[in-house]
Each structure stands twice: as structure tokens, then as C-alpha cells.
Amino acid sequence: MIRHKEWPTVGLALSIVGILAGCATAGNTTSSKVTNSGATSTSQSNPNLTNNSAPQQTNGSTYTTENQSSGQQSGTKSATAGYYKGLKTVTYSSAETQKIKQISQQQGIRAYVPDQMGGPSGYYVPGRVTKGSSHSMRLQFEDMTFYEAPSWKDIKQALSPQSGSVSILNGGSYTLSGKEEGQWSTLKYSDGARSDIFVLHKGSTWVGIVPNPAKSTIPSLVQAVAETLQSIS
């Protein structure tokens, strides 16, 4: 079991009450309903990191790319299709949609958000959307967090630590039904911590999906959610 880096949580704490409240906000618009096939996943505990925290980049941090395998393989086509059938439709309130549009325009990107979500938490509603460094935007769900930016380099900068360095270990790849090829990588920090990320190029935007290590990293589930990304700006 790998150890995950503890990232700062200043200004980004999100209570379950806040998440549930977002689901009940007036003016919601709903996409087509998806039938739940009963797909489940096993949760594993990690006390060092929750999905309510995010990495912060500083000028002193650096990153490199290493030509070695991260050990993070992509999920299979059949498993991804199975998780896709079990996803739930995400409802975005008019206020949430407006906030996403506003931040994405300020950061100079076209925002893509998941139309459907799944995972072991059972809370499939959007959390806080915030600005990140290097023109990036961050959209949080309980089971995974989305980092979006004009380039993969900008996402790597946004995920850099406050101090020290991070290297990128390449893992498996997976081609979505829309022909976008996603790449699994592992962020390896100078203190030994690691975190997985699935990155794809959607239109003019790069999207990095970081599974919540406090739950479980399930490549097939992340890939299934990535299939549902839709432009919102």
C-alpha cells in the first residue's frame, strides 16, 4: 500500500452537509437518468489524505518526467462499461453552473464537467469549484477531483507541492469512446508520497482526474466517469 502525500486544506474544507445542501439548491437542471446496475467498489482507509484537500503550488517547487512505469494500469474495457452502467446523473444548480462558467472564463479555459458520477461514497453531487495556480480550475466530488487547465504542464504545476519536487511516472493508457486517449500517471513526491491521476485532452482543455485515495483508486470507475464529460461553458 502506497503512502499518499498530505496536502494543505486551507480554505477548501467541505462538509457533508454542504455537499448535500448543494444537491437541493433551487434552479437545478437535470440530465437524462441512468439506471444503476448495482456496481460497487471496496473502500480503503488512508488517514493522511481526504478529498477535502488540494495540493498548492509555489515558485520553489519543481517537477520532472521519469521514464519508468508507475504501476498504475488502466482499467479494462469490460470493467469500464460495467461501471458506466452504474453511474448516477449529476445535477448542477443554476448557481453552480454560473460559478463554473465564471471561473473557467477567468482562467481562460472551456470547462468540462462530469454528467454522471459514481463511487463508494454514495454522494454524487458537485462540491466547491475553485481557481488554481497556472490558469487551472478545480472541481471537487467526494470520490474524485477534477483539475482543468490549458495544458498538461499547467495541471502539473497546479499539483506541485508547497516545497520539494514531484516527478511524473507514466502508467497505462485508455482510449475513450469519443477517441480521446487518457493517460494514467503517478505523481511521485520528493518525500516519497504518491498520488494517481488520469489525464486526457478534451477539446482545448486538459482534464486531470485525481481519485480520492481515502476511498479507493479504481481505474475503471474513473474512466467510466471520464466518458461522461460535457462542456458547460
Side-chain angles (χ1 to χ4, degrees):
M1 180 175 181
I2 61 175
R3 181 172 66 87
H4 293 272
K5 185 174 183 63
E6 184 174 3
W7 290 336
T9 60
V10 178
L12 297 177
L14 182 64
S15 66
I16 296 301
V17 174
I19 296 176
L20 294 177
C23 186
T25 304
N28 289 347
T29 56
T30 307
S31 304
S32 57
K33 185 176 181 181
V34 178
T35 303
N36 186 357
S37 67
T40 59
S41 56
T42 304
S43 174
Q44 62 185 32
S45 175
N46 186 326
N48 295 327
L49 179 63
T50 70
N51 202 38
N52 297 333
S53 61
Q56 295 183 0
Q57 180 266 346
T58 64
N59 294 331
S61 61
T62 60
Y63 65 85
T64 58
T65 300
E66 297 184 11
N67 295 320
Q68 66 181 88
S69 173
S70 69
Q72 177 58 277
Q73 301 300 314
S74 62
T76 64
K77 289 283 186 183
S78 59
T80 299
Y83 276 107
Y84 182 83
K85 293 178 181 178
L87 298 180
K88 296 287 189 177
T89 298
V90 176
T91 300
Y92 297 87
S93 70
S94 57
E96 289 165 340
T97 300
Q98 184 59 36
K99 183 68 176 296
I100 293 171
K101 289 181 177 180
Q102 179 184 13
I103 291 180
S104 64
Q105 290 170 2
Q106 291 173 348
Q107 299 297 75
I109 59 175
R110 176 180 291 275
Y112 286 84
V113 300
D115 183 61
Q116 299 170 43
M117 180 58 63
S121 73
Y123 298 102
Y124 309 141
V125 294
R128 170 181 274 185
V129 55
T130 57
K131 291 181 182 180
S133 61
S134 298
H135 307 288
S136 66
M137 182 185 77
R138 176 179 181 269
L139 176 61
Q140 177 183 312
F141 285 79
E142 184 67 19
D143 296 283
M144 59 192 76
T145 299
F146 297 78
Y147 292 86
E148 306 190 17
S151 70
W152 175 208
K153 177 181 178 180
D154 290 324
I155 291 179
K156 286 185 280 191
Q157 289 285 9
L159 289 165
S160 295
Q162 286 188 318
S163 60
S165 62
V166 57
S167 56
I168 311 299
L169 310 182
N170 293 327
S173 61
Y174 182 86
T175 302
L176 302 177
S177 59
K179 304 306 180 182
E180 302 94 345
E181 183 171 351
Q183 174 71 52
W184 278 101
S185 298
T186 296
L187 306 173
K188 179 183 176 184
Y189 293 88
S190 53
D191 66 357
R194 298 189 179 200
S195 180
D196 296 315
I197 184 172
F198 182 64
V199 179
L200 66 150
H201 195 190
K202 190 76 174 176
S204 60
T205 303
W206 286 78
V207 182
I209 308 175
V210 178
N212 184 351
K215 305 298 180 181
S216 54
T217 300
I218 307 170
S220 295
L221 171 62
V222 174
Q223 292 163 188
V225 172
E227 292 277 12
T228 76
L229 286 172
Q230 301 290 332
S231 173
I232 200 172
S233 58

